[in-house]
Amino acid sequence: MPVKPLTLAAVGCGSRVRTYTKYAALLPDRYQVVAAADPNPARLRLMEALVPAGSLRTFASDRDLFAAGKLADILMIGTQDAYHVQPCIAAMRLGYDVLLEKPIATNFAEVRALELEARRLGRRVMICHVLRYTPFYTTVKSLLESGAIGTIATINAVEGVAPFHQAHSFVRGHWGVVEKSSPMIIAKCCHDLDIISWLADSSCTHVSSFGSLSYFNAANAPAGAPARCTDGCPVAANCFYDAHRYLGDQRHWLQWVFDGGVEADDESVRQWLRTSPWGRCVYHCDNTAVDRQTVNLTFANHITANLTMTAFDSGRSLEIRGTEGVLLGGEAVKRLSGHDIAITRHRDGKTEYHDIKIEEGEFVGHGGGDFGLMNALDHEWQKPNSADMRSSLERSVESHAMGFAAEEARLNGGVVDLTEYRQRG
Ligand SMILES: NC(=O)c1ccc[n+]([C@@H]2O[C@H](COP(=O)([O-])OP(=O)(O)OC[C@H]3O[C@@H](n4cnc5c(N)ncnc54)[C@H](O)[C@@H]3O)[C@@H](O)[C@H]2O)c1
């Protein structure tokens, strides 16, 4: 007998929810997106275009959608960071299970409050830690589980945000001002900490961290640079961060912040740059997010780990050392060897390579993780114990604790005892 498709509703129809909706629409036997809420009518129109004509009920806000009762099995929440907890708790109280964008919340106390409420109500919440569903990290995990490098001793991870991406998202963009969103180590790196937590497969016990915002500030502004690139900057022609690049080789970024911007004519983009945050000089913004941070972690099973987040490299890299060998994976090894993963055995020094295939075109978002998450969602929903979902709330609370504790350690110095921190939260 065919299984009934899972029905999905959405709150916040930005780029994330539309990506999941696009993939859900490719799997109509398994998912139906039936309702969507967003105060921006143009975004609701974009959602309508993704699903069969006439099949989507639309609402001007989460509150209006909630007022209509429970409309679907799962509510996808893709509002901005500071507005995750409130709609998630309201949805759970209405009876929804939830697919919640990361971060769970902008501070750990709210993460804990949400977890307690989910437990009290018996709701299933999955967090969009999409990297757990990528072919790359899934392969790394299974190689480690197969004993390819013996017992893991150390994990070193690098998250190279990339200079223009840093400027777009964490200087000019949504996550530049930590006080209005979440700390960099959560906003960008909750994924990386979550992967470290998954690979270490143990409870983190202590965290320390260093980092700062040392480059994207007024001290590094070229002489005479005005507040906006569009105000006649004398160094625009040689500036890597010149906003006019949105008219050329960096135009693809517009798809996430300027609806229709990729297809718009140049004059419309110029006009947008004159007033939007993305037209500002990167050295003259109100940003507070760090452009470098390192986090040290130790786990109950004695694995030690380090994560370096930097604006000044591109892509994620992993080095995992074990009692039987070394696994190198990601961007750095790819640049040097052309392969995604290299495993070198201590025993004979031999190296074997593994390459990851991601389907071209539609499926590459976040290394295949966006599609991977949607492709796994209905299977995950069948697991009897919701905590066993690969990206369950329970597992994500653990990696969020690591991240928020790292931020506390960065700001206050010293080492945070995670056992004590979790209880405090
Ligand atoms: N999982 C990932 O890899 C990943 C990647 C990028 C971003 N994110 C996270 O996803 C979230 C969404 O990011 P985005 O880039 O899609 O954001 P976005 O700003 O493009 O979209 C958010 C949408 O929420 C709408 N909204 C605001 N208030 C609302 C309300 N009361 N009711 C309904 N809708 C409302 C806005 O109008 C907007 O369309 C963020 O928290 C972000 O940190 C996750």
Side-chain angles (χ1 to χ4, degrees), residues 347-367:
R347 173 161 41 99
D348 53 13
K350 288 211 171 110
T351 299
E352 67 181 48
Y353 295 103
H354 299 261
D355 292 310
I356 307 297
K357 230 176 114 39
I358 301 173
E359 288 190 53
E360 285 302 321
E362 293 294 284
F363 298 120
V364 294
H366 285 109

PDB file of all heavy atoms in Angstrom, residues 347-367:
ATOM      1  N   ARG A 347      50.870   1.584   9.330  1.00  0.00           N
ATOM      2  CA  ARG A 347      51.497   0.267   9.153  1.00  0.00           C
ATOM      3  C   ARG A 347      52.480   0.244   7.977  1.00  0.00           C
ATOM      4  O   ARG A 347      53.622  -0.155   8.120  1.00  0.00           O
ATOM      5  CB  ARG A 347      50.345  -0.746   8.962  1.00  0.00           C
ATOM      6  CG  ARG A 347      50.677  -2.123   8.604  1.00  0.00           C
ATOM      7  CD  ARG A 347      49.478  -3.057   8.926  1.00  0.00           C
ATOM      8  NE  ARG A 347      48.162  -2.517   8.598  1.00  0.00           N
ATOM      9  CZ  ARG A 347      47.464  -2.805   7.488  1.00  0.00           C
ATOM     10  NH1 ARG A 347      47.951  -3.608   6.595  1.00  0.00           N
ATOM     11  NH2 ARG A 347      46.270  -2.302   7.303  1.00  0.00           N
ATOM     12  N   ASP A 348      52.008   0.720   6.799  1.00  0.00           N
ATOM     13  CA  ASP A 348      52.858   0.604   5.612  1.00  0.00           C
ATOM     14  C   ASP A 348      53.004   1.919   4.855  1.00  0.00           C
ATOM     15  O   ASP A 348      53.615   1.959   3.787  1.00  0.00           O
ATOM     16  CB  ASP A 348      52.297  -0.470   4.671  1.00  0.00           C
ATOM     17  CG  ASP A 348      50.832  -0.227   4.355  1.00  0.00           C
ATOM     18  OD1 ASP A 348      50.345   0.881   4.654  1.00  0.00           O
ATOM     19  OD2 ASP A 348      50.180  -1.133   3.819  1.00  0.00           O
ATOM     20  N   GLY A 349      52.445   2.976   5.404  1.00  0.00           N
ATOM     21  CA  GLY A 349      52.570   4.291   4.755  1.00  0.00           C
ATOM     22  C   GLY A 349      51.762   4.423   3.474  1.00  0.00           C
ATOM     23  O   GLY A 349      51.865   5.429   2.773  1.00  0.00           O
ATOM     24  N   LYS A 350      50.959   3.412   3.163  1.00  0.00           N
ATOM     25  CA  LYS A 350      50.191   3.464   1.902  1.00  0.00           C
ATOM     26  C   LYS A 350      48.980   4.399   2.039  1.00  0.00           C
ATOM     27  O   LYS A 350      48.344   4.457   3.097  1.00  0.00           O
ATOM     28  CB  LYS A 350      49.711   2.065   1.532  1.00  0.00           C
ATOM     29  CG  LYS A 350      50.844   1.182   1.062  1.00  0.00           C
ATOM     30  CD  LYS A 350      50.348   0.159   0.040  1.00  0.00           C
ATOM     31  CE  LYS A 350      51.533  -0.556  -0.583  1.00  0.00           C
ATOM     32  NZ  LYS A 350      51.634  -1.941  -0.168  1.00  0.00           N
ATOM     33  N   THR A 351      48.677   5.087   0.942  1.00  0.00           N
ATOM     34  CA  THR A 351      47.537   6.020   0.942  1.00  0.00           C
ATOM     35  C   THR A 351      46.476   5.521  -0.021  1.00  0.00           C
ATOM     36  O   THR A 351      46.786   5.160  -1.167  1.00  0.00           O
ATOM     37  CB  THR A 351      47.997   7.430   0.504  1.00  0.00           C
ATOM     38  OG1 THR A 351      48.974   7.888   1.436  1.00  0.00           O
ATOM     39  CG2 THR A 351      46.833   8.410   0.483  1.00  0.00           C
ATOM     40  N   GLU A 352      45.243   5.491   0.458  1.00  0.00           N
ATOM     41  CA  GLU A 352      44.132   5.194  -0.460  1.00  0.00           C
ATOM     42  C   GLU A 352      43.235   6.427  -0.552  1.00  0.00           C
ATOM     43  O   GLU A 352      43.078   7.169   0.423  1.00  0.00           O
ATOM     44  CB  GLU A 352      43.334   3.969   0.003  1.00  0.00           C
ATOM     45  CG  GLU A 352      42.575   4.183   1.288  1.00  0.00           C
ATOM     46  CD  GLU A 352      41.809   2.941   1.738  1.00  0.00           C
ATOM     47  OE1 GLU A 352      42.422   1.845   1.743  1.00  0.00           O
ATOM     48  OE2 GLU A 352      40.631   3.104   2.097  1.00  0.00           O
ATOM     49  N   TYR A 353      42.696   6.647  -1.740  1.00  0.00           N
ATOM     50  CA  TYR A 353      41.890   7.842  -1.976  1.00  0.00           C
ATOM     51  C   TYR A 353      40.418   7.478  -2.156  1.00  0.00           C
ATOM     52  O   TYR A 353      40.097   6.417  -2.674  1.00  0.00           O
ATOM     53  CB  TYR A 353      42.385   8.576  -3.227  1.00  0.00           C
ATOM     54  CG  TYR A 353      43.784   9.118  -3.069  1.00  0.00           C
ATOM     55  CD1 TYR A 353      44.868   8.465  -3.653  1.00  0.00           C
ATOM     56  CD2 TYR A 353      44.011  10.271  -2.335  1.00  0.00           C
ATOM     57  CE1 TYR A 353      46.158   8.962  -3.517  1.00  0.00           C
ATOM     58  CE2 TYR A 353      45.297  10.776  -2.175  1.00  0.00           C
ATOM     59  CZ  TYR A 353      46.366  10.119  -2.775  1.00  0.00           C
ATOM     60  OH  TYR A 353      47.625  10.610  -2.621  1.00  0.00           O
ATOM     61  N   HIS A 354      39.557   8.401  -1.738  1.00  0.00           N
ATOM     62  CA  HIS A 354      38.115   8.227  -1.946  1.00  0.00           C
ATOM     63  C   HIS A 354      37.577   9.498  -2.585  1.00  0.00           C
ATOM     64  O   HIS A 354      37.924  10.604  -2.147  1.00  0.00           O
ATOM     65  CB  HIS A 354      37.398   7.996  -0.610  1.00  0.00           C
ATOM     66  CG  HIS A 354      37.864   6.766   0.093  1.00  0.00           C
ATOM     67  ND1 HIS A 354      37.180   5.578   0.032  1.00  0.00           N
ATOM     68  CD2 HIS A 354      38.964   6.539   0.849  1.00  0.00           C
ATOM     69  CE1 HIS A 354      37.840   4.661   0.740  1.00  0.00           C
ATOM     70  NE2 HIS A 354      38.926   5.224   1.243  1.00  0.00           N
ATOM     71  N   ASP A 355      36.764   9.335  -3.597  1.00  0.00           N
ATOM     72  CA  ASP A 355      36.172  10.505  -4.254  1.00  0.00           C
ATOM     73  C   ASP A 355      34.661  10.486  -4.086  1.00  0.00           C
ATOM     74  O   ASP A 355      34.039   9.427  -4.092  1.00  0.00           O
ATOM     75  CB  ASP A 355      36.571  10.544  -5.725  1.00  0.00           C
ATOM     76  CG  ASP A 355      38.063  10.831  -5.850  1.00  0.00           C
ATOM     77  OD1 ASP A 355      38.504  11.798  -5.212  1.00  0.00           O
ATOM     78  OD2 ASP A 355      38.769  10.067  -6.531  1.00  0.00           O
ATOM     79  N   ILE A 356      34.118  11.667  -3.954  1.00  0.00           N
ATOM     80  CA  ILE A 356      32.687  11.798  -3.678  1.00  0.00           C
ATOM     81  C   ILE A 356      31.994  12.278  -4.931  1.00  0.00           C
ATOM     82  O   ILE A 356      32.441  13.235  -5.557  1.00  0.00           O
ATOM     83  CB  ILE A 356      32.448  12.850  -2.560  1.00  0.00           C
ATOM     84  CG1 ILE A 356      33.294  12.526  -1.323  1.00  0.00           C
ATOM     85  CG2 ILE A 356      30.974  12.992  -2.242  1.00  0.00           C
ATOM     86  CD1 ILE A 356      32.978  11.218  -0.662  1.00  0.00           C
ATOM     87  N   LYS A 357      30.900  11.609  -5.253  1.00  0.00           N
ATOM     88  CA  LYS A 357      30.138  12.049  -6.423  1.00  0.00           C
ATOM     89  C   LYS A 357      28.869  12.740  -5.946  1.00  0.00           C
ATOM     90  O   LYS A 357      28.100  12.185  -5.166  1.00  0.00           O
ATOM     91  CB  LYS A 357      29.763  10.819  -7.261  1.00  0.00           C
ATOM     92  CG  LYS A 357      30.112  10.994  -8.735  1.00  0.00           C
ATOM     93  CD  LYS A 357      29.814   9.743  -9.513  1.00  0.00           C
ATOM     94  CE  LYS A 357      28.703   9.905 -10.533  1.00  0.00           C
ATOM     95  NZ  LYS A 357      28.617  11.124 -11.275  1.00  0.00           N
ATOM     96  N   ILE A 358      28.697  13.972  -6.393  1.00  0.00           N
ATOM     97  CA  ILE A 358      27.434  14.665  -6.110  1.00  0.00           C
ATOM     98  C   ILE A 358      26.780  14.907  -7.445  1.00  0.00           C
ATOM     99  O   ILE A 358      27.445  15.318  -8.393  1.00  0.00           O
ATOM    100  CB  ILE A 358      27.681  16.021  -5.418  1.00  0.00           C
ATOM    101  CG1 ILE A 358      28.428  15.813  -4.111  1.00  0.00           C
ATOM    102  CG2 ILE A 358      26.363  16.748  -5.165  1.00  0.00           C
ATOM    103  CD1 ILE A 358      28.850  17.095  -3.459  1.00  0.00           C
ATOM    104  N   GLU A 359      25.458  14.658  -7.487  1.00  0.00           N
ATOM    105  CA  GLU A 359      24.786  14.866  -8.763  1.00  0.00           C
ATOM    106  C   GLU A 359      24.874  16.332  -9.149  1.00  0.00           C
ATOM    107  O   GLU A 359      24.683  17.218  -8.318  1.00  0.00           O
ATOM    108  CB  GLU A 359      23.333  14.428  -8.660  1.00  0.00           C
ATOM    109  CG  GLU A 359      23.230  12.917  -8.601  1.00  0.00           C
ATOM    110  CD  GLU A 359      21.810  12.456  -8.753  1.00  0.00           C
ATOM    111  OE1 GLU A 359      21.157  12.860  -9.726  1.00  0.00           O
ATOM    112  OE2 GLU A 359      21.359  11.709  -7.889  1.00  0.00           O
ATOM    113  N   GLU A 360      25.185  16.567 -10.381  1.00  0.00           N
ATOM    114  CA  GLU A 360      25.353  17.939 -10.870  1.00  0.00           C
ATOM    115  C   GLU A 360      24.038  18.711 -10.806  1.00  0.00           C
ATOM    116  O   GLU A 360      22.969  18.152 -10.615  1.00  0.00           O
ATOM    117  CB  GLU A 360      25.822  17.903 -12.338  1.00  0.00           C
ATOM    118  CG  GLU A 360      27.280  17.520 -12.509  1.00  0.00           C
ATOM    119  CD  GLU A 360      28.239  18.451 -11.775  1.00  0.00           C
ATOM    120  OE1 GLU A 360      27.992  19.665 -11.758  1.00  0.00           O
ATOM    121  OE2 GLU A 360      29.222  17.934 -11.203  1.00  0.00           O
ATOM    122  N   GLY A 361      24.158  20.002 -10.983  1.00  0.00           N
ATOM    123  CA  GLY A 361      22.976  20.842 -11.151  1.00  0.00           C
ATOM    124  C   GLY A 361      22.252  21.075  -9.856  1.00  0.00           C
ATOM    125  O   GLY A 361      22.802  21.609  -8.909  1.00  0.00           O
ATOM    126  N   GLU A 362      21.013  20.626  -9.800  1.00  0.00           N
ATOM    127  CA  GLU A 362      20.105  20.971  -8.719  1.00  0.00           C
ATOM    128  C   GLU A 362      20.541  20.465  -7.344  1.00  0.00           C
ATOM    129  O   GLU A 362      20.102  20.955  -6.329  1.00  0.00           O
ATOM    130  CB  GLU A 362      18.728  20.372  -9.021  1.00  0.00           C
ATOM    131  CG  GLU A 362      18.040  20.995 -10.206  1.00  0.00           C
ATOM    132  CD  GLU A 362      17.673  22.440  -9.968  1.00  0.00           C
ATOM    133  OE1 GLU A 362      16.709  22.688  -9.251  1.00  0.00           O
ATOM    134  OE2 GLU A 362      18.381  23.328 -10.479  1.00  0.00           O
ATOM    135  N   PHE A 363      21.404  19.468  -7.297  1.00  0.00           N
ATOM    136  CA  PHE A 363      21.577  18.769  -6.041  1.00  0.00           C
ATOM    137  C   PHE A 363      22.820  19.170  -5.257  1.00  0.00           C
ATOM    138  O   PHE A 363      23.147  18.571  -4.250  1.00  0.00           O
ATOM    139  CB  PHE A 363      21.599  17.253  -6.274  1.00  0.00           C
ATOM    140  CG  PHE A 363      20.315  16.755  -6.852  1.00  0.00           C
ATOM    141  CD1 PHE A 363      20.283  16.118  -8.072  1.00  0.00           C
ATOM    142  CD2 PHE A 363      19.126  16.952  -6.184  1.00  0.00           C
ATOM    143  CE1 PHE A 363      19.089  15.671  -8.609  1.00  0.00           C
ATOM    144  CE2 PHE A 363      17.919  16.516  -6.707  1.00  0.00           C
ATOM    145  CZ  PHE A 363      17.898  15.874  -7.927  1.00  0.00           C
ATOM    146  N   VAL A 364      23.545  20.205  -5.734  1.00  0.00           N
ATOM    147  CA  VAL A 364      24.852  20.462  -5.128  1.00  0.00           C
ATOM    148  C   VAL A 364      24.811  21.380  -3.907  1.00  0.00           C
ATOM    149  O   VAL A 364      25.813  21.517  -3.225  1.00  0.00           O
ATOM    150  CB  VAL A 364      25.866  21.035  -6.149  1.00  0.00           C
ATOM    151  CG1 VAL A 364      26.179  20.014  -7.209  1.00  0.00           C
ATOM    152  CG2 VAL A 364      25.345  22.318  -6.781  1.00  0.00           C
ATOM    153  N   GLY A 365      23.676  22.015  -3.606  1.00  0.00           N
ATOM    154  CA  GLY A 365      23.602  22.974  -2.498  1.00  0.00           C
ATOM    155  C   GLY A 365      24.152  22.400  -1.205  1.00  0.00           C
ATOM    156  O   GLY A 365      23.776  21.307  -0.802  1.00  0.00           O
ATOM    157  N   HIS A 366      25.105  23.109  -0.581  1.00  0.00           N
ATOM    158  CA  HIS A 366      25.763  22.639   0.631  1.00  0.00           C
ATOM    159  C   HIS A 366      26.323  21.229   0.462  1.00  0.00           C
ATOM    160  O   HIS A 366      26.063  20.347   1.279  1.00  0.00           O
ATOM    161  CB  HIS A 366      24.818  22.709   1.835  1.00  0.00           C
ATOM    162  CG  HIS A 366      24.635  24.107   2.330  1.00  0.00           C
ATOM    163  ND1 HIS A 366      23.476  24.811   2.181  1.00  0.00           N
ATOM    164  CD2 HIS A 366      25.485  24.951   2.950  1.00  0.00           C
ATOM    165  CE1 HIS A 366      23.613  26.016   2.688  1.00  0.00           C
ATOM    166  NE2 HIS A 366      24.824  26.137   3.156  1.00  0.00           N
ATOM    167  N   GLY A 367      27.053  21.024  -0.619  1.00  0.00           N
ATOM    168  CA  GLY A 367      27.711  19.734  -0.861  1.00  0.00           C
ATOM    169  C   GLY A 367      26.740  18.578  -0.959  1.00  0.00           C
ATOM    170  O   GLY A 367      27.078  17.439  -0.634  1.00  0.00           O
TER     171      GLY A 367
END
